[in-house]
Amino acid sequence: MIVIGGPDTDGDVWASMLTGPSGFADSIDDRTIVFNASLAVGDPLHGAYALNQPVGTLALDTSQVRRIRVNGVMHRSGQSLVLRTEQVLRNCPKYIQTREIVDEQPCEPSVEVGTSLSAAQQRWIEAADTFFVATHSPRHGADVSHRGGAPGFVTADVDRLSWPDYVGNSFYMTFGNLELNDRSGVCFLDWESGHMLQISGTAEVDWKDREAPGAQRKVLFQVERVVYTRDAIPLRWRLVSYSKFNPDSVQKEFDQ
């Protein structure tokens, strides 16, 4: 699984996902990665890479609890996507929940679009322990990052999300981009079903709000566009354990 993020053809920022068998992401030299996969029709980033466009990518291995971010520019070549690297960052394992792949199902994605969150989508978000956030600065390129915590760490209503930001790698790439461009996108995956919820809007950082346990600051996200895709990806995961770094860890309850 590769998470990708960046602007669409209208300048709205989205996060999305590419999946494939082991080896579908192939580093053909020290600056070039080819993803032998494509985004489904209906994905908001489907048409974004006809020519070189800024992109952030995140390779996430939930079974080994490891991740690496690779940012640069990407273009479509036939049925593949080609990334020319500009930044390569190894990240720590904080807040990654351990999951293992248990199945793969054929999928025929179906897409619903809107401008606000339904009650069911709000419940989904508030039960999530993981999501991904994409940002873009015209001066510095695109980035996509992992966010994790105990279920309930994200709050949602019909047109607004918020979440605490915990101690991380201190690169501040998400926040640096937001200082220059508040357009951003978030993506939630239903790990058991393969459904995906993508939301684009604007984000602001409240640097003084440390009310939530472990929070260094709080992010407020205004919902503008919503894309819900049933059967977005074929992989199915099983939760093995929550991250030991999660504030208010629910691992004890999970074990019981």
Side-chain angles (χ1 to χ4, degrees):
M1 179 181 68
I2 302 291
V3 185
I4 72 171
D8 65 10
T9 54
D10 296 323
D12 291 334
V13 177
W14 300 87
S16 189
M17 294 184 188
L18 297 169
T19 64
S22 180
F24 86 100
D26 185 13
S27 54
I28 61 176
D29 60 42
D30 63 352
R31 292 288 304 277
T32 309
I33 302 173
V34 176
F35 301 105
N36 294 304
S38 57
L39 294 161
V41 175
D43 189 289
L45 292 177
H46 174 73
Y49 303 111
L51 301 173
N52 271 332
Q53 293 295 326
V55 69
T57 70
L58 174 71
L60 178 67
D61 184 341
T62 60
S63 64
Q64 299 296 317
V65 192
R66 59 186 181 183
R67 56 183 162 170
I68 187 169
R69 287 152 78 178
V70 182
N71 300 337
V73 294
M74 190 157 72
H75 71 274
R76 188 170 61 247
S77 177
Q79 297 301 308
S80 300
L81 293 166
V82 181
L83 169 63
R84 182 68 173 172
T85 69
E86 295 178 351
Q87 299 170 326
V88 181
L89 305 165
R90 179 70 179 268
N91 287 171
C92 75
K94 286 180 180 176
Y95 320 117
I96 300 175
Q97 329 304 346
T98 304
R99 284 182 163 89
E100 61 182 12
I101 296 172
V102 294
D103 197 11
E104 184 173 355
Q105 296 285 339
C107 57
E108 296 183 5
S110 61
V111 177
E112 300 174 12
V113 300
T115 56
S116 60
L117 297 169
S118 69
Q121 290 167 349
Q122 293 172 53
R123 290 193 295 270
W124 174 359
I125 291 169
E126 293 195 331
D129 57 48
T130 300
F131 72 97
F132 306 96
V133 56
T135 56
H136 171 242
S137 160
R139 287 169 51 188
H140 301 292
D143 181 70
V144 67
S145 183
H146 162 278
R147 292 292 186 269
F153 82 110
V154 186
T155 62
D157 60 33
V158 66
D159 62 359
R160 196 170 178 87
L161 309 180
S162 66
W163 62 86
D165 189 75
Y166 306 131
V167 173
N169 294 280
S170 298
F171 291 134
Y172 290 97
M173 296 182 71
T174 297
F175 297 138
N177 280 349
L178 289 176
E179 283 293 308
L180 300 173
N181 177 20
D182 64 359
R183 310 297 309 172
S184 59
V186 294
C187 176
F188 293 83
L189 177 65
D190 186 324
W191 301 88
E192 287 74 35
S193 71
H195 305 334
M196 184 166 61
L197 182 64
Q198 297 162 277
I199 310 168
S200 184
T202 59
E204 61 178 308
V205 183
D206 185 339
W207 293 91
K208 296 181 179 180
D209 190 334
R210 300 187 176 188
E211 181 178 352
Q216 299 294 297
R217 58 200 67 85
K218 185 176 184 178
V219 181
L220 307 172
F221 183 94
Q222 186 68 40
V223 175
E224 294 184 1
R225 297 172 62 190
V226 178
V227 176
Y228 167 57
T229 306
R230 296 183 59 85
D231 297 326
I233 64 173
L235 301 177
R236 306 291 184 266
W237 283 266
R238 178 181 74 87
L239 177 64
V240 176
S241 63
Y242 289 103
S243 172
K244 66 181 181 180
F245 297 102
N246 289 349
D248 287 344
S249 175
V250 293
Q251 182 60 44
K252 184 179 294 185
E253 179 181 345
F254 177 76
D255 289 339
Q256 293 174 349

